[in-house]
Amino acid sequence: VSINWFAVLSFFSDFFNSFNIKFNKNVKDLIIEDTSIKGVKTADGDNYYGKYVVTAPGRENAEWLSNKAKKLGIDMTINPVD
């Protein structure tokens, strides 16, 4: 056990608390500015912006994301899981 355990844990706690992570949000659209994705619009009417936007649609909404990418001219590679 490191004698610096408290400092290490405090660093990671501060680091992860600096993110604004949202789960289980029904995203209806992407917010595009200057050819970059800057955020998302949710079904609840909320807009979330971020320096980085991570999408994780799962199988259920993979087609929605593929259609959005095609509309935006983003190339996608199919990588089957099964």
Side-chain angles (χ1 to χ4, degrees), residues 25-37:
K25 293 291 182 177
N26 186 355
V27 173
K28 289 295 185 184
D29 207 356
L30 302 173
I31 300 170
I32 310 295
E33 296 175 2
D34 299 323
T35 69
S36 295
I37 298 172

Side-chain angles (χ1 to χ4, degrees), residues 34-54:
D34 299 323
T35 69
S36 295
I37 298 172
K38 298 294 184 176
V40 296
K41 296 178 183 183
T42 68
D44 297 334
D46 296 322
N47 291 347
Y48 294 99
Y49 292 85
K51 182 175 180 180
Y52 302 101
V53 177
V54 177

